[in-house]
Amino acid sequence: MIMVWDVRKTIKPLYYLQRTNTFDTKRIKKAVESAHAGVVTGLCFTPDGFELLSIGSDSKLKVWNYYLGTNKLINFPGIRARRARTLAVSLTIPRPLVYVPCHSTIKVYEIHTGELVHVLRGHYETVNALAFHPYLPELYSGGADGKILAWTPTSDEGRTPVTASISPTNYEDSWSGSEGSP
C-alpha cells in the first residue's frame, strides 16, 4: 500500500495510490485497494517530482501522477522483482528512462510508453542498488558479486546516447586487500 501524507498534518494520509484509479477520499479505510497485488518493494520519484514510480512483489512497475494520485496504467514487460529493489530514473532527452534491476541485469525502459530500450549486462550476480548521477549521464550499479559498475552511454553510428549501447566501467574496491581482511 502506498500512502501520501501531508507532513504538517500526520493524523491521516491525504490519499492512497490505487491500482484502478478509483480515487475516493470516503473509502480511505481498511478496505482500500492497494497500489500493488503484493508488497511494495521500491519507490522512486522522477527528478522533476511530478511522477512516482513503484515496483512491487507482483513484478509490476507502475508510474503515478503524484499530484493527482492516479496510475498512468503503463505496461512494462518482463519485470521480475520479488525482493526490495532500488530504481533509478534519468530525464534524458528525447525520452525519460527508468533503470530496473532484474537478477544480474538492468532493464532500461522508456517511462511514458513502457518500451524496453536496453538490457545492461555486466554483473555476475544479483544487482542490488542503482543510482543515476544528477548531472552526468552515468548510472552506477552495485551487485552481490561485490562489484560497482559505472555505466556511460557511448555513441556509435550516429545514434543518440539514449539509444546507444552502454558499457560498464569496473571500479575495484581499493580498501579491501589482504591486510586487515577477515
Side-chain angles (χ1 to χ4, degrees):
M1 180 176 299
I2 302 173
M3 297 181 277
V4 177
W5 295 80
D6 180 345
V7 295
R8 298 167 295 180
K9 301 176 185 176
T10 58
I11 296 170
K12 65 178 183 175
L14 294 173
Y15 57 88
Y16 294 85
L17 297 179
Q18 301 174 25
R19 281 183 292 222
T20 58
N21 291 334
T22 53
F23 183 74
D24 183 0
T25 55
K26 293 178 182 158
R27 258 187 70 193
I28 299 181
K29 296 199 182 205
K30 291 181 183 178
V32 172
E33 179 187 333
S34 64
H36 287 271
V39 296
V40 176
T41 59
L43 290 171
C44 180
F45 277 101
T46 56
D48 61 10
F50 291 120
E51 294 163 322
L52 176 68
L53 286 85
S54 66
I55 193 164
S57 62
D58 58 358
S59 293
K60 300 286 184 192
L61 175 64
K62 299 190 178 188
V63 180
W64 306 89
N65 179 316
Y66 180 71
Y67 294 103
L68 298 176
T70 55
N71 183 350
K72 291 194 163 188
L73 302 173
I74 300 168
N75 181 33
F76 294 88
I79 292 180
R80 296 172 305 222
R82 300 277 179 209
R83 298 184 309 170
R85 294 287 176 237
T86 305
L87 303 172
V89 174
S90 68
L91 290 183
T92 54
I93 305 298
R95 53 187 180 174
L97 303 172
V98 59
Y99 301 84
V100 181
C102 223
H103 299 292
S104 64
T105 65
I106 302 165
K107 292 191 175 182
V108 184
Y109 293 93
E110 204 280 336
I111 290 177
H112 296 122
T113 65
E115 174 191 353
L116 179 63
V117 175
H118 209 313
V119 177
L120 305 177
R121 290 173 171 73
H123 285 282
Y124 297 108
E125 293 183 37
T126 304
V127 177
N128 295 319
L130 295 175
F132 199 86
H133 196 288
Y135 305 113
L136 300 174
E138 283 190 339
L139 174 72
Y140 304 99
S141 62
D145 56 4
K147 304 286 184 195
I148 296 173
L149 301 180
W151 303 85
T152 56
T154 57
S155 182
D156 61 332
E157 300 172 348
R159 294 188 293 170
T160 62
V162 174
T163 58
S165 61
I166 300 178
S167 59
T169 303
N170 190 359
Y171 289 104
E172 294 293 332
D173 180 2
S174 62
W175 290 350
S176 59
S178 58
E179 297 178 31
S181 301

